[in-house]
Amino acid sequence: MLARSLSLLSMVALLAACNNEAGYSSSYREAGLINNGADFGNSTMQNTLVMTGASSYTVNLNNRFVAQVPTTINFAFNSYVLDDEARATLRAQADFMRQFPEVRFKVYGHTDLVGSSSYNRTLGLRRAEAAVLYLQTQGIQRSRLEAVVSHGETQPLVVTEGRERANRRTVTEVTGFVNSNPMVMNGKYAEIIFRDYVQSASVPATLFNGSATGTSE
């Protein structure tokens, strides 16, 4: 009996040691903390988002955003000026944003690897700010555009020390809901769903007589 008790105590001590090595303790830390190593409160927030469905709604809506409009704009070297192509892309983004007035977006700024990291972080932020300001001119409220973020040169698409236009960019993403509730179904959302329902039942004009207008030649 004594030997069994000592064996059980040894197993408990071993498990406690493993827990401490992993960086968490079930007695003193909140549920979910081991998954992300975040500060207090973040794990509770993440659990709430998952259980209420907000997390999956955000992911699904962002997937739809990516599928329907370009999410990236590019810049000239050492510049945060929007060219015609960038403005056209941002207008398309704004059109999508207007369909979902409860949704928040975040713009991330990036640079290529030329220049110092501190300079590039500032430049990336200016690019993100330029995109946000233009979206505001298209009627998108600043409260729906979360604080812009600059990754600077830390996340290149093409790893090269030289100039690379693909790396000089901003990327827009869906990040959450204004009212922290994805289940809001007011008249605006009802209108959106009804419109999508009608469009899904319509037959493309190109199917009629092989003509884009639906008439024979």
Side-chain angles (χ1 to χ4, degrees):
M1 187 68 176
L2 179 60
R4 177 177 295 182
S5 299
L6 291 174
S7 178
L8 289 174
L9 288 173
S10 298
M11 292 178 64
V12 170
L14 179 61
L15 289 174
C18 291
N19 286 350
N20 289 334
E21 290 176 2
Y24 72 96
S25 168
S26 59
S27 300
Y28 298 103
R29 301 195 182 210
E30 57 184 322
L33 186 60
I34 186 174
N35 292 329
N36 57 22
D39 294 332
F40 184 82
N42 285 1
S43 301
T44 300
M45 178 185 68
Q46 181 63 25
N47 291 341
T48 301
L49 290 174
V50 171
M51 293 181 70
T52 61
S55 179
S56 61
Y57 272 86
T58 301
V59 171
N60 292 338
L61 189 56
N62 190 63
N63 290 339
R64 179 174 177 179
F65 180 55
V66 171
Q68 291 188 1
V69 300
T71 59
T72 301
I73 62 174
N74 297 100
F75 296 83
F77 179 71
N78 196 32
S79 173
Y80 53 93
V81 175
L82 303 172
D83 59 20
D84 291 341
E85 182 179 358
R87 288 192 291 269
T89 295
L90 291 172
R91 286 195 295 272
Q93 293 181 13
D95 288 341
F96 183 96
M97 293 175 182
R98 281 191 290 270
Q99 297 179 52
F100 301 93
E102 311 295 339
V103 176
R104 296 197 310 270
F105 296 80
K106 184 174 286 186
V107 180
Y108 299 85
H110 303 262
T111 71
D112 57 26
L113 302 183
V114 179
S116 69
S117 59
S118 59
Y119 180 85
N120 284 336
R121 186 170 182 82
T122 299
L123 179 57
L125 184 60
R126 288 176 176 173
R127 287 171 175 167
E129 289 172 342
V132 166
L133 288 174
Y134 190 81
L135 288 170
Q136 288 183 259
T137 68
Q138 301 303 301
I140 308 303
Q141 295 179 338
R142 183 64 181 83
S143 60
R144 297 181 55 206
L145 301 168
E146 292 189 85
V148 292
V149 176
S150 173
H151 288 299
E153 62 186 43
T154 61
Q155 296 184 8
L157 294 177
V158 180
V159 180
T160 174
E161 296 295 330
R163 300 182 181 185
E164 177 54 57
R165 180 174 174 82
N167 293 337
R168 303 192 299 266
R169 68 198 191 280
T170 67
V171 181
T172 307
E173 293 182 4
V174 174
T175 55
F177 293 83
V178 173
N179 293 331
S180 300
N181 184 359
M183 305 303 291
V184 175
M185 291 297 293
N186 57 21
K188 182 66 175 179
Y189 275 100
E191 177 186 344
I192 293 167
I193 292 175
F194 180 74
R195 183 195 62 212
D196 288 347
Y197 173 77
V198 172
Q199 289 179 346
S200 69
S202 63
V203 180
T206 53
L207 297 181
F208 292 97
N209 302 320
S211 170
T213 61
T215 58
S216 59
E217 296 180 354

